[in-house]
Amino acid sequence: MRSSCRATRASGCVAPLRACVANSSRCRGRNMTISHFNLRRTAASAVATCLFGTYAVSAQAIAVPSGQPLSFLEFISEQDGLLVRFRFLTPQIGDGFDYLTVFPDFQALCDEQVVPVLDQNGLTPAQIVLSMSAQDIPFGEDNSDVLQFFEIFRPENGTCIWEEF
């Protein structure tokens, strides 16, 4: 089963991310949920907005060590929550921001953004996959013209431990 939460500019009623993940069959489809939530600096602000059975909130810029423009795109939960993915839009990677420049951003995103959201929502994955993409392309779609970077972490004692591929 896979659940997905995607940033958008819609509004509606507020519900916690936990409800989106826990009630994925209620949100949309049988095996997949298309949902949306806003990733913020504090876990207390990680909420979903309910709209016609799906969840939606607005995307916003996130500060990272490299200074690159970065915004949240999508949360995906797979394998009954053992694997979670956080996708980010980083339109300037490859154009002034190479991999070595943005590598510290992955650790900062995981420790400062992802772990608090997971903790606040009672999620305990075994792995966290973070991705940065120069363009917003659908999850799983291969586009050789769009640069993407990926890193894998495991949560441990309130921090993210980098797991080399």
Side-chain angles (χ1 to χ4, degrees):
M1 180 181 296
R2 182 170 83 187
S3 298
S4 175
C5 298
R6 188 168 175 74
T8 184
R9 295 196 185 278
S11 63
C13 63
V14 176
L17 172 61
R18 182 182 301 167
C20 170
V21 175
N23 297 310
S24 60
S25 62
R26 180 178 66 86
C27 294
R28 181 173 166 180
R30 282 191 186 163
N31 296 321
M32 186 171 131
T33 301
I34 301 297
S35 304
H36 308 277
F37 78 97
N38 189 8
L39 187 64
R40 302 233 184 186
R41 284 217 172 274
T42 62
S45 64
V47 295
T49 305
C50 172
L51 180 64
F52 302 111
T54 64
Y55 299 84
V57 296
S58 62
Q60 83 178 57
I62 299 168
V64 289
S66 71
Q68 73 170 319
L70 181 142
S71 59
F72 172 72
L73 281 178
E74 185 172 34
F75 165 84
I76 301 169
S77 177
E78 298 179 89
Q79 302 171 7
D80 293 324
L82 291 177
L83 172 69
V84 295
R85 299 175 187 271
F86 288 80
R87 299 179 64 224
F88 297 91
L89 178 63
T90 53
Q92 294 183 10
I93 59 172
D95 184 29
F97 292 94
D98 62 17
Y99 180 79
L100 292 177
T101 303
V102 304
F103 180 74
D105 296 350
F106 281 104
Q107 187 72 50
L109 283 169
C110 199
D111 289 338
E112 299 170 14
Q113 302 288 328
V114 172
V115 168
V117 168
L118 295 174
D119 289 347
Q120 176 68 26
N121 291 284
L123 302 174
T124 56
Q127 282 192 320
I128 299 165
V129 178
L130 302 182
S131 65
M132 296 180 186
S133 180
Q135 293 178 20
D136 182 2
I137 60 173
F139 174 73
E141 186 174 295
D142 185 25
N143 185 333
S144 60
D145 294 329
V146 178
L147 182 60
Q148 297 183 73
F149 298 145
F150 299 86
E151 285 300 341
I152 298 175
F153 296 86
R154 75 175 185 280
E156 189 173 295
N157 299 321
T159 191
C160 291
I161 307 299
W162 178 62
E163 294 191 336
E164 188 173 9
F165 285 108

